[in-house]
Amino acid sequence: MSDAAQYRALVGDLLTWLRQNETPQGAWYWDEDPAPVVEPPAKEAVAPKAPAAPAATVSDAAPDSPDDDPFAAECEAFVAAAMERIGSHRAESEALPGLEETAPPADPASALDALRQEVLPCIACGLAETRKNVVFGSGSARAELMIVGEAPGRDEDIQGQPFVGRSGQLLTKILAAIGLRRDEVYIGNILKCRPPDNRDPLPPEVLACEPHLRRQLAIIRPRLICCLGRVAAQTLLRTSTSLTRLRGEVHFYGDIPVLATFHPAYLLRNPAAKRDAWNDVRMMKALMEALAAADPGRGA
Ligand code: SF4
């Protein structure tokens, strides 16, 4: 790396660190991998490296007093409106085909494993010809939260697991910031096989693969779905509405409430968006808690 490039990288690190610490609690900081250590360029003044910021903790994320947290009132209003919407939606609508057809399995883990064995050899669309592995999904069969992305990428295709690599590490940190481990949620994608060159899913592929997702949902029965990224949200919700407008509102997949936020890969490219993403996941956490309080019998 040239001296100029090293200098730009250091200044970039410093600006990112400053932006990330602008929030009231400085709590939404999902630290990246440590910045590469670079030697200061010879005979050139070098900006001081920013000190390492602490990783987010749940206590950071939940200030003691609402007065300390300007976002708390907004979050409370969101949850109240969302719960009202969920109540009226469920009274008026029916579950999607495939979600209502069976009683909850007595042993969701076994049912999910049986479904995995069924899906692994799937050749229902053309992606079967180019994939290395079917990425079925991972996590708890009793998860209250299901994370849904659009499709596996290169690393996921190679490893057969969803959200691995840098995006996956960031997702793990985002979940940890609201007190969740990856094995407490379920993480999957709308498509189980990688589209070539990570292109967007095509409608026939979504049509072919969606029954797998519905059967996963029928087994897991999460309280809430969180779509990561524009493509996942637009595809699942069958809409062309922008992610900007989809965020901060509750939507529905059948009778399951759906929220949408940024894809971790986008956050890696645009660290300034982490502030909005942090607000999204705090609203998601608050809505999860309200749904659990309204239906305490549905334990994970
Ligand atoms: S993307 Fe879905 S429908 Fe297509 S081959 Fe893979 S598992 Fe089957």
Side-chain angles (χ1 to χ4, degrees):
M1 187 187 287
S2 69
D3 288 353
Q6 288 177 342
Y7 185 76
R8 276 199 300 276
L10 282 169
V11 172
D13 284 350
L14 179 61
L15 288 174
T16 298
W17 182 84
L18 288 171
R19 268 192 234 112
Q20 288 173 339
N21 284 275
E22 280 172 4
T23 49
Q25 292 78 43
W28 60 282
Y29 180 83
W30 303 311
D31 55 334
E32 307 290 305
D33 296 334
V37 176
V38 293
E39 294 300 324
K43 300 176 192 170
E44 236 183 90
V46 176
K49 189 157 180 63
T57 65
V58 178
S59 57
D60 285 336
D64 292 338
S65 158
D67 295 340
D68 298 336
D69 182 5
F71 182 67
E74 192 182 328
C75 196
E76 203 173 304
F78 162 77
V79 170
M83 289 300 286
E84 196 175 322
R85 229 177 120 241
I86 290 167
S88 55
H89 178 88
R90 284 180 173 162
E92 292 166 5
S93 68
E94 295 181 358
L96 278 176
L99 296 185
E100 87 295 0
E101 63 197 12
T102 54
D107 183 353
S110 298
L112 204 54
D113 198 47
L115 179 59
R116 175 194 296 274
Q117 298 311 321
E118 205 178 308
V119 171
L120 287 182
C122 177
I123 52 169
C125 81
L127 298 179
E129 291 168 22
T130 51
R131 74 180 178 220
K132 288 188 171 56
N133 285 294
V134 170
V135 182
F136 180 74
S138 70
S140 168
R142 294 177 182 271
E144 298 193 15
L145 173 65
M146 183 153 176
I147 306 280
V148 177
E150 61 189 85
R154 180 181 167 276
D155 292 339
E156 289 80 10
D157 184 41
I158 291 170
Q159 297 183 39
Q161 292 294 325
F163 285 90
V164 293
R166 288 185 71 216
S167 291
Q169 288 166 15
L170 181 54
L171 176 59
T172 303
K173 288 171 182 170
I174 291 170
L175 292 171
I178 53 168
L180 291 171
R181 299 189 315 270
R182 276 179 77 117
D183 61 4
E184 290 177 300
V185 304
Y186 197 85
I187 302 173
N189 287 300
I190 294 171
L191 295 187
K192 312 300 183 203
C193 303
R194 181 193 183 201
D197 302 320
N198 295 344
R199 64 157 168 74
D200 289 353
L202 300 176
E205 295 161 355
V206 174
L207 205 62
C209 209
E210 202 170 0
H212 301 326
L213 177 65
R214 290 189 186 183
R215 291 178 69 191
Q216 286 176 309
L217 288 165
I219 293 169
I220 300 167
R221 298 182 184 240
R223 290 190 195 279
L224 186 64
I225 294 172
C226 177
C227 287
L228 297 181
R230 174 188 62 82
V231 177
Q234 290 181 339
T235 306
L236 193 76
L237 298 172
R238 302 278 198 276
T239 180
S240 57
T241 304
S242 68
L243 182 62
T244 305
R245 292 185 57 200
L246 292 173
R247 290 178 45 245
E249 296 273 339
V250 67
H251 310 276
F252 296 93
Y253 186 69
D255 61 354
I256 304 175
V258 178
L259 297 181
T261 189
F262 299 106
H263 195 286
Y266 176 83
L267 296 176
L268 289 170
R269 294 193 303 272
N270 301 277
K274 287 182 179 178
R275 177 201 294 271
D276 289 336
W278 172 232
N279 288 343
D280 290 347
V281 293
R282 289 173 73 195
M283 290 199 287
M284 181 178 76
K285 171 77 170 171
L287 184 56
M288 291 275 297
E289 289 173 352
L291 288 165
D295 180 18
R298 160 63 178 85

